[in-house]
Structures are given as structure tokens and as C-alpha cells.
mmCIF file of all heavy atoms in Angstrom:
data_model
loop_
_atom_site.group_PDB
_atom_site.id
_atom_site.type_symbol
_atom_site.label_atom_id
_atom_site.label_comp_id
_atom_site.label_asym_id
_atom_site.label_seq_id
_atom_site.Cartn_x
_atom_site.Cartn_y
_atom_site.Cartn_z
ATOM 1 N N GLN A 20 4.037 -4.876 -8.984
ATOM 2 C CA GLN A 20 3.112 -5.819 -9.654
ATOM 3 C C GLN A 20 2.309 -6.711 -8.665
ATOM 4 O O GLN A 20 1.667 -7.700 -9.074
ATOM 5 C CB GLN A 20 3.856 -6.715 -10.658
ATOM 6 C CG GLN A 20 4.646 -5.992 -11.692
ATOM 7 C CD GLN A 20 3.840 -5.063 -12.533
ATOM 8 O OE1 GLN A 20 2.718 -5.380 -12.886
ATOM 9 N NE2 GLN A 20 4.359 -3.922 -12.879
ATOM 10 N N ALA A 21 2.339 -6.380 -7.344
ATOM 11 C CA ALA A 21 1.604 -7.219 -6.349
ATOM 12 C C ALA A 21 0.133 -6.826 -6.381
ATOM 13 O O ALA A 21 -0.273 -5.738 -6.764
ATOM 14 C CB ALA A 21 2.226 -6.933 -4.988
ATOM 15 N N ASP A 22 -0.677 -7.810 -5.944
ATOM 16 C CA ASP A 22 -2.143 -7.652 -5.902
ATOM 17 C C ASP A 22 -2.541 -7.457 -4.422
ATOM 18 O O ASP A 22 -2.499 -8.429 -3.681
ATOM 19 C CB ASP A 22 -2.833 -8.832 -6.513
ATOM 20 C CG ASP A 22 -4.319 -8.655 -6.661
ATOM 21 O OD1 ASP A 22 -4.880 -7.688 -6.127
ATOM 22 O OD2 ASP A 22 -4.928 -9.526 -7.351
ATOM 23 N N LEU A 23 -2.807 -6.246 -4.035
ATOM 24 C CA LEU A 23 -3.163 -5.917 -2.649
ATOM 25 C C LEU A 23 -4.617 -5.479 -2.532
ATOM 26 O O LEU A 23 -4.962 -4.672 -1.708
ATOM 27 C CB LEU A 23 -2.248 -4.840 -2.128
ATOM 28 C CG LEU A 23 -0.791 -5.234 -1.966
ATOM 29 C CD1 LEU A 23 0.134 -4.283 -2.652
ATOM 30 C CD2 LEU A 23 -0.417 -5.335 -0.492
ATOM 31 N N ARG A 24 -5.465 -6.007 -3.438
ATOM 32 C CA ARG A 24 -6.908 -5.661 -3.377
ATOM 33 C C ARG A 24 -7.502 -5.937 -2.025
ATOM 34 O O ARG A 24 -7.401 -7.050 -1.530
ATOM 35 C CB ARG A 24 -7.707 -6.401 -4.487
ATOM 36 C CG ARG A 24 -7.516 -5.811 -5.877
ATOM 37 C CD ARG A 24 -8.179 -6.675 -6.896
ATOM 38 N NE ARG A 24 -7.589 -7.968 -6.945
ATOM 39 C CZ ARG A 24 -8.231 -9.094 -7.304
ATOM 40 N NH1 ARG A 24 -9.468 -9.065 -7.635
ATOM 41 N NH2 ARG A 24 -7.623 -10.274 -7.274
ATOM 42 N N GLY A 25 -8.112 -4.889 -1.450
ATOM 43 C CA GLY A 25 -8.764 -5.069 -0.137
ATOM 44 C C GLY A 25 -7.820 -5.394 1.015
ATOM 45 O O GLY A 25 -8.276 -5.737 2.096
ATOM 46 N N ALA A 26 -6.546 -5.138 0.819
ATOM 47 C CA ALA A 26 -5.596 -5.359 1.908
ATOM 48 C C ALA A 26 -5.676 -4.252 2.920
ATOM 49 O O ALA A 26 -6.024 -3.140 2.686
ATOM 50 C CB ALA A 26 -4.168 -5.471 1.358
ATOM 51 N N ASN A 27 -5.292 -4.572 4.181
ATOM 52 C CA ASN A 27 -5.305 -3.583 5.245
ATOM 53 C C ASN A 27 -3.856 -3.144 5.548
ATOM 54 O O ASN A 27 -3.140 -3.939 6.004
ATOM 55 C CB ASN A 27 -5.927 -4.216 6.504
ATOM 56 C CG ASN A 27 -5.933 -3.208 7.655
ATOM 57 O OD1 ASN A 27 -5.783 -1.982 7.478
ATOM 58 N ND2 ASN A 27 -6.150 -3.694 8.884
ATOM 59 N N LEU A 28 -3.567 -1.906 5.192
ATOM 60 C CA LEU A 28 -2.231 -1.374 5.410
ATOM 61 C C LEU A 28 -2.290 -0.195 6.364
ATOM 62 O O LEU A 28 -1.442 0.697 6.375
ATOM 63 C CB LEU A 28 -1.645 -0.907 4.071
ATOM 64 C CG LEU A 28 -1.313 -2.002 3.052
ATOM 65 C CD1 LEU A 28 -1.651 -1.567 1.659
ATOM 66 C CD2 LEU A 28 0.117 -2.405 3.174
ATOM 67 N N GLU A 29 -3.349 -0.236 7.213
ATOM 68 C CA GLU A 29 -3.488 0.845 8.162
ATOM 69 C C GLU A 29 -2.273 1.028 9.073
ATOM 70 O O GLU A 29 -1.725 0.072 9.640
ATOM 71 C CB GLU A 29 -4.740 0.599 9.041
ATOM 72 C CG GLU A 29 -5.030 1.775 9.955
ATOM 73 C CD GLU A 29 -6.398 1.678 10.655
ATOM 74 O OE1 GLU A 29 -7.262 0.992 10.142
ATOM 75 O OE2 GLU A 29 -6.594 2.406 11.624
ATOM 76 N N ALA A 30 -1.800 2.262 9.099
ATOM 77 C CA ALA A 30 -0.619 2.669 9.964
ATOM 78 C C ALA A 30 0.633 1.901 9.638
ATOM 79 O O ALA A 30 1.555 1.860 10.436
ATOM 80 C CB ALA A 30 -0.998 2.557 11.462
ATOM 81 N N ALA A 31 0.683 1.267 8.428
ATOM 82 C CA ALA A 31 1.923 0.593 8.080
ATOM 83 C C ALA A 31 3.009 1.619 7.709
ATOM 84 O O ALA A 31 2.703 2.698 7.259
ATOM 85 C CB ALA A 31 1.645 -0.301 6.834
ATOM 86 N N LYS A 32 4.222 1.240 7.990
ATOM 87 C CA LYS A 32 5.362 2.124 7.698
ATOM 88 C C LYS A 32 5.985 1.681 6.340
ATOM 89 O O LYS A 32 6.657 0.597 6.304
ATOM 90 C CB LYS A 32 6.370 2.064 8.850
ATOM 91 C CG LYS A 32 5.853 2.687 10.128
ATOM 92 C CD LYS A 32 6.845 2.758 11.214
ATOM 93 C CE LYS A 32 6.375 3.591 12.375
ATOM 94 N NZ LYS A 32 5.721 2.794 13.376
ATOM 95 N N LEU A 33 5.701 2.389 5.299
ATOM 96 C CA LEU A 33 6.052 2.023 3.937
ATOM 97 C C LEU A 33 7.010 2.983 3.279
ATOM 98 O O LEU A 33 7.129 2.982 2.079
ATOM 99 C CB LEU A 33 4.767 1.902 3.126
ATOM 100 C CG LEU A 33 3.777 0.842 3.627
ATOM 101 C CD1 LEU A 33 2.365 1.206 3.223
ATOM 102 C CD2 LEU A 33 4.194 -0.478 3.104
ATOM 103 N N ASN A 34 7.752 3.751 4.074
ATOM 104 C CA ASN A 34 8.616 4.768 3.447
ATOM 105 C C ASN A 34 9.616 4.076 2.483
ATOM 106 O O ASN A 34 10.158 3.040 2.791
ATOM 107 C CB ASN A 34 9.392 5.513 4.498
ATOM 108 C CG ASN A 34 8.499 6.322 5.397
ATOM 109 O OD1 ASN A 34 7.357 6.621 5.027
ATOM 110 N ND2 ASN A 34 8.968 6.735 6.592
ATOM 111 N N TYR A 35 9.753 4.670 1.274
ATOM 112 C CA TYR A 35 10.708 4.249 0.256
ATOM 113 C C TYR A 35 10.276 2.889 -0.366
ATOM 114 O O TYR A 35 11.071 2.240 -1.085
ATOM 115 C CB TYR A 35 12.161 4.173 0.730
ATOM 116 C CG TYR A 35 12.625 5.497 1.319
ATOM 117 C CD1 TYR A 35 12.698 5.678 2.678
ATOM 118 C CD2 TYR A 35 13.006 6.512 0.448
ATOM 119 C CE1 TYR A 35 13.135 6.885 3.151
ATOM 120 C CE2 TYR A 35 13.411 7.724 0.933
ATOM 121 C CZ TYR A 35 13.489 7.918 2.277
ATOM 122 O OH TYR A 35 13.932 9.145 2.831
ATOM 123 N N ALA A 36 9.095 2.391 -0.113
ATOM 124 C CA ALA A 36 8.622 1.154 -0.708
ATOM 125 C C ALA A 36 8.309 1.334 -2.158
ATOM 126 O O ALA A 36 8.012 2.438 -2.612
ATOM 127 C CB ALA A 36 7.418 0.568 0.038
ATOM 128 N N TRP A 37 8.284 0.284 -2.945
ATOM 129 C CA TRP A 37 7.944 0.295 -4.361
ATOM 130 C C TRP A 37 6.622 -0.411 -4.555
ATOM 131 O O TRP A 37 6.450 -1.561 -4.129
ATOM 132 C CB TRP A 37 9.042 -0.426 -5.249
ATOM 133 C CG TRP A 37 10.227 0.452 -5.461
ATOM 134 C CD1 TRP A 37 11.023 1.043 -4.530
ATOM 135 C CD2 TRP A 37 10.640 0.848 -6.721
ATOM 136 N NE1 TRP A 37 11.941 1.750 -5.167
ATOM 137 C CE2 TRP A 37 11.824 1.677 -6.519
ATOM 138 C CE3 TRP A 37 10.287 0.579 -8.052
ATOM 139 C CZ2 TRP A 37 12.544 2.223 -7.583
ATOM 140 C CZ3 TRP A 37 11.057 1.119 -9.087
ATOM 141 C CH2 TRP A 37 12.121 1.906 -8.820
ATOM 142 N N PHE A 38 5.634 0.268 -5.218
ATOM 143 C CA PHE A 38 4.360 -0.312 -5.517
ATOM 144 C C PHE A 38 4.159 -0.139 -7.057
ATOM 145 O O PHE A 38 3.073 0.052 -7.508
ATOM 146 C CB PHE A 38 3.230 0.436 -4.804
ATOM 147 C CG PHE A 38 3.191 0.100 -3.335
ATOM 148 C CD1 PHE A 38 3.830 0.919 -2.411
ATOM 149 C CD2 PHE A 38 2.526 -1.002 -2.872
ATOM 150 C CE1 PHE A 38 3.776 0.607 -1.065
ATOM 151 C CE2 PHE A 38 2.408 -1.288 -1.541
ATOM 152 C CZ PHE A 38 3.070 -0.517 -0.594
ATOM 153 N N ARG A 39 5.257 -0.220 -7.800
ATOM 154 C CA ARG A 39 5.100 0.012 -9.253
ATOM 155 C C ARG A 39 4.197 -1.050 -9.877
ATOM 156 O O ARG A 39 4.455 -2.267 -9.816
ATOM 157 C CB ARG A 39 6.535 -0.085 -9.868
ATOM 158 C CG ARG A 39 6.547 0.386 -11.293
ATOM 159 C CD ARG A 39 7.928 0.733 -11.733
ATOM 160 N NE ARG A 39 7.817 1.478 -12.970
ATOM 161 C CZ ARG A 39 8.707 2.302 -13.442
ATOM 162 N NH1 ARG A 39 9.832 2.497 -12.774
ATOM 163 N NH2 ARG A 39 8.493 2.906 -14.579
ATOM 164 N N GLY A 40 3.117 -0.565 -10.477
ATOM 165 C CA GLY A 40 2.173 -1.467 -11.153
ATOM 166 C C GLY A 40 1.374 -2.338 -10.164
ATOM 167 O O GLY A 40 0.685 -3.239 -10.583
ATOM 168 N N ALA A 41 1.390 -1.981 -8.917
ATOM 169 C CA ALA A 41 0.632 -2.726 -7.878
ATOM 170 C C ALA A 41 -0.859 -2.365 -7.911
ATOM 171 O O ALA A 41 -1.224 -1.288 -8.278
ATOM 172 C CB ALA A 41 1.226 -2.536 -6.512
ATOM 173 N N ARG A 42 -1.679 -3.367 -7.514
ATOM 174 C CA ARG A 42 -3.104 -3.096 -7.402
ATOM 175 C C ARG A 42 -3.517 -2.944 -5.896
ATOM 176 O O ARG A 42 -3.410 -3.882 -5.128
ATOM 177 C CB ARG A 42 -3.903 -4.301 -7.971
ATOM 178 C CG ARG A 42 -3.676 -4.451 -9.479
ATOM 179 C CD ARG A 42 -4.448 -5.602 -10.036
ATOM 180 N NE ARG A 42 -5.876 -5.254 -10.053
ATOM 181 C CZ ARG A 42 -6.814 -6.162 -10.291
ATOM 182 N NH1 ARG A 42 -6.543 -7.421 -10.470
ATOM 183 N NH2 ARG A 42 -8.068 -5.810 -10.270
ATOM 184 N N LEU A 43 -3.879 -1.713 -5.546
ATOM 185 C CA LEU A 43 -4.257 -1.365 -4.177
ATOM 186 C C LEU A 43 -5.727 -1.003 -4.158
ATOM 187 O O LEU A 43 -6.177 -0.197 -3.310
ATOM 188 C CB LEU A 43 -3.391 -0.239 -3.640
ATOM 189 C CG LEU A 43 -1.937 -0.646 -3.330
ATOM 190 C CD1 LEU A 43 -0.943 0.457 -3.656
ATOM 191 C CD2 LEU A 43 -1.726 -1.114 -1.912
ATOM 192 N N VAL A 44 -6.506 -1.575 -5.069
ATOM 193 C CA VAL A 44 -7.933 -1.272 -5.156
ATOM 194 C C VAL A 44 -8.635 -1.657 -3.851
ATOM 195 O O VAL A 44 -8.408 -2.817 -3.348
ATOM 196 C CB VAL A 44 -8.562 -2.048 -6.358
ATOM 197 C CG1 VAL A 44 -10.075 -1.841 -6.443
ATOM 198 C CG2 VAL A 44 -7.891 -1.606 -7.661
ATOM 199 N N ASP A 45 -9.391 -0.705 -3.343
ATOM 200 C CA ASP A 45 -10.170 -0.889 -2.094
ATOM 201 C C ASP A 45 -9.285 -1.231 -0.893
ATOM 202 O O ASP A 45 -9.730 -1.731 0.120
ATOM 203 C CB ASP A 45 -11.234 -2.019 -2.248
ATOM 204 C CG ASP A 45 -12.225 -1.688 -3.315
ATOM 205 O OD1 ASP A 45 -12.563 -0.477 -3.497
ATOM 206 O OD2 ASP A 45 -12.740 -2.572 -4.044
ATOM 207 N N ALA A 46 -8.004 -0.920 -0.943
ATOM 208 C CA ALA A 46 -7.075 -1.197 0.158
ATOM 209 C C ALA A 46 -7.312 -0.095 1.273
ATOM 210 O O ALA A 46 -7.688 1.032 0.955
ATOM 211 C CB ALA A 46 -5.637 -1.153 -0.235
ATOM 212 N N ASN A 47 -7.042 -0.460 2.479
ATOM 213 C CA ASN A 47 -7.120 0.514 3.607
ATOM 214 C C ASN A 47 -5.734 1.057 3.857
ATOM 215 O O ASN A 47 -4.845 0.379 4.334
ATOM 216 C CB ASN A 47 -7.661 -0.185 4.872
ATOM 217 C CG ASN A 47 -7.710 0.743 6.040
ATOM 218 O OD1 ASN A 47 -7.491 1.955 5.942
ATOM 219 N ND2 ASN A 47 -7.975 0.220 7.223
ATOM 220 N N LEU A 48 -5.554 2.360 3.479
ATOM 221 C CA LEU A 48 -4.235 3.000 3.673
ATOM 222 C C LEU A 48 -4.344 4.080 4.793
ATOM 223 O O LEU A 48 -3.438 4.942 4.846
ATOM 224 C CB LEU A 48 -3.832 3.678 2.302
ATOM 225 C CG LEU A 48 -3.734 2.709 1.122
ATOM 226 C CD1 LEU A 48 -3.428 3.547 -0.163
ATOM 227 C CD2 LEU A 48 -2.646 1.712 1.370
ATOM 228 N N GLN A 49 -5.321 3.982 5.647
ATOM 229 C CA GLN A 49 -5.478 4.996 6.667
ATOM 230 C C GLN A 49 -4.207 5.078 7.521
ATOM 231 O O GLN A 49 -3.709 4.093 8.035
ATOM 232 C CB GLN A 49 -6.690 4.650 7.534
ATOM 233 C CG GLN A 49 -6.843 5.643 8.695
ATOM 234 C CD GLN A 49 -8.164 5.467 9.414
ATOM 235 O OE1 GLN A 49 -9.215 5.359 8.782
ATOM 236 N NE2 GLN A 49 -8.132 5.511 10.726
ATOM 237 N N GLU A 50 -3.700 6.306 7.677
ATOM 238 C CA GLU A 50 -2.559 6.597 8.486
ATOM 239 C C GLU A 50 -1.249 5.888 8.044
ATOM 240 O O GLU A 50 -0.264 5.796 8.781
ATOM 241 C CB GLU A 50 -2.815 6.278 9.966
ATOM 242 C CG GLU A 50 -3.809 7.228 10.600
ATOM 243 C CD GLU A 50 -4.021 6.996 12.076
ATOM 244 O OE1 GLU A 50 -3.019 7.106 12.798
ATOM 245 O OE2 GLU A 50 -5.160 6.743 12.559
ATOM 246 N N ALA A 51 -1.201 5.340 6.850
ATOM 247 C CA ALA A 51 -0.049 4.705 6.302
ATOM 248 C C ALA A 51 1.049 5.766 6.043
ATOM 249 O O ALA A 51 0.698 6.900 5.605
ATOM 250 C CB ALA A 51 -0.319 3.924 5.028
ATOM 251 N N LYS A 52 2.233 5.431 6.368
ATOM 252 C CA LYS A 52 3.346 6.352 6.080
ATOM 253 C C LYS A 52 3.996 5.917 4.778
ATOM 254 O O LYS A 52 4.632 4.856 4.681
ATOM 255 C CB LYS A 52 4.399 6.275 7.255
ATOM 256 C CG LYS A 52 3.808 6.451 8.602
ATOM 257 C CD LYS A 52 3.216 7.865 8.837
ATOM 258 C CE LYS A 52 2.626 8.063 10.221
ATOM 259 N NZ LYS A 52 1.229 7.622 10.291
ATOM 260 N N MET A 53 3.832 6.777 3.718
ATOM 261 C CA MET A 53 4.292 6.415 2.400
ATOM 262 C C MET A 53 5.191 7.482 1.825
ATOM 263 O O MET A 53 5.081 7.910 0.682
ATOM 264 C CB MET A 53 3.034 6.151 1.474
ATOM 265 C CG MET A 53 2.200 5.018 2.007
ATOM 266 S SD MET A 53 0.742 4.625 0.993
ATOM 267 C CE MET A 53 1.500 3.458 -0.166
#
């Protein structure tokens, strides 16, 4: 349920993370490990 609009998650290590109902609109997920 987090609001990550326009957030920069480039190359972030997010393995096993929960984004249930999260807003990642216009977020930068380049090279993110998900």
C-alpha cells in the first residue's frame, strides 16, 4: 500500500519484497532485482 510514484529504484535489490497494492506509477525500475 505504499505510494512510490516517481520514485527511483534503479538497481535496487528488492528480492522477496512485498509491493501488494503499492503505487509505482512512473517509477524508475531500471536494473532493479525483483
Side-chain angles (χ1 to χ4, degrees):
Q20 307 300 323
D22 188 350
L23 292 127
R24 283 174 297 151
N27 180 16
L28 293 141
E29 185 168 341
K32 293 186 170 89
L33 297 156
N34 297 341
Y35 304 102
W37 280 59
F38 288 92
R39 190 162 195 158
R42 295 181 71 192
L43 289 144
V44 175
D45 298 328
N47 178 8
L48 303 173
Q49 179 169 315
E50 295 186 54
K52 307 296 180 272
M53 300 180 87

